[in-house]
Amino acid sequence: MKYLGRGWQYTVYDLGNGKVLKKYNTRLQAYSIMFRQTFPWTRHPIWKLPKYYRGCRNTALDSIKKIKETKMDTALFGNPKVLNQLDYEQDKAIPLHVYFKKLSLDEGKKKIDEFISLNQKFIKNRLIDKSFLIGKNYGINSKGEIILIDIGELYSSDESIKRQIGLKPWDIYYVTSTIPKRFRSYFVEEMNKNIEFC
């Protein structure tokens, strides 16, 4: 089992069989990465780490429940196999922040169009990624299709989806910085035109 990386919620391991294991972080693991990533702690003071951990855990529990209940094709989420309350296995995919580096401008625009189509499908089925974090939360599967690989922050209520779309989180540097600069303006323009609550 090979270590691949760690976010606020999960540590990811390559199982070597075309699957990855996403194991929920212990409190110490989560605090460690939160501490490093929020430096110099002006926007995210250290004393709020316990609150962030609780919030992340509750969101993940809720998201796993939504995945278990969805009528959508689970291949769109990397065919997750839930192992317990929070841990799951999933199809291995190439994160888009890696995949986009090798694409020409035209190829990248086509993938952005596919990303938008996928998210329109998610909106229609009332199950979206909280931040539309294109480079980190989505990947390319073995068939060359874009899938949602981070299922730890899903929104499903009409109210929360409408609110998130209204905030246009895709036009925030935190999101746009996850893809190469040459694709960013097209990404934001097309998201603004095509992503709406319906």
Side-chain angles (χ1 to χ4, degrees):
M1 196 162 66
K2 180 184 174 186
Y3 170 86
L4 294 177
R6 175 173 292 147
W8 281 29
Q9 292 178 312
Y10 285 92
T11 300
V12 185
Y13 301 93
D14 187 343
L15 296 174
N17 59 357
K19 300 280 185 182
V20 293
L21 169 65
K22 296 196 171 173
K23 189 161 183 56
Y24 202 80
N25 291 334
T26 64
R27 191 177 296 270
L28 185 60
Q29 289 169 329
Y31 285 2
S32 173
I33 194 158
M34 289 175 185
F35 184 82
R36 286 194 311 271
Q37 289 186 353
T38 59
F39 180 81
W41 315 299
T42 48
R43 285 188 58 223
H44 302 282
I46 295 171
W47 56 268
K48 284 192 175 179
L49 295 188
K51 179 183 175 185
Y52 297 151
Y53 182 79
R54 283 191 307 273
C56 286
R57 191 173 194 283
N58 289 338
T59 302
L61 284 167
D62 187 53
S63 296
I64 294 289
K65 181 181 174 193
K66 288 168 185 167
I67 286 291
K68 286 180 175 178
E69 295 171 351
T70 187
K71 301 288 189 273
M72 295 181 73
D73 181 359
T74 57
L76 299 173
F77 307 97
N79 296 304
K81 177 185 172 188
V82 179
L83 305 174
N84 54 39
Q85 276 191 315
L86 288 165
D87 301 344
Y88 60 94
E89 290 181 9
Q90 187 181 43
D91 295 342
K92 188 176 179 183
I94 302 168
L96 286 185
H97 72 91
V98 173
Y99 186 78
F100 265 82
K101 289 177 183 175
K102 67 177 186 176
L103 301 183
S104 69
L105 185 58
D106 285 341
E107 290 168 334
K109 285 180 176 181
K110 285 179 187 172
K111 282 300 172 189
I112 288 168
D113 293 343
E114 287 177 33
F115 173 85
I116 289 169
S117 294
L118 176 63
N119 278 282
Q120 287 170 332
K121 186 181 291 187
F122 287 155
I123 292 165
K124 184 179 176 185
N125 286 276
R126 299 299 189 260
L127 197 62
I128 68 161
D129 171 50
K130 170 187 169 184
S131 58
F132 299 91
L133 189 56
I134 183 170
K136 298 247 178 118
N137 291 359
Y138 296 80
I140 298 288
N141 66 13
S142 60
K143 297 178 182 176
E145 302 162 332
I146 296 180
I147 59 170
L148 179 60
I149 57 175
D150 185 340
I151 60 171
E153 292 184 304
L154 303 179
Y155 283 177
S156 64
S157 73
D158 284 1
E159 181 185 334
S160 60
I161 293 171
K162 186 175 182 180
R163 183 177 62 246
Q164 280 304 103
I165 290 171
L167 291 172
K168 297 186 177 182
W170 54 81
D171 195 12
I172 296 170
Y173 183 72
Y174 167 74
V175 175
T176 58
S177 65
T178 65
I179 58 174
K181 285 183 181 177
R182 64 186 177 276
F183 304 121
R184 292 176 191 173
S185 61
Y186 181 81
F187 170 67
V188 172
E189 287 164 13
E190 293 302 304
M191 289 290 283
N192 284 340
K193 279 195 284 188
N194 295 293
I195 295 297
E196 59 186 7
F197 182 75
C198 52

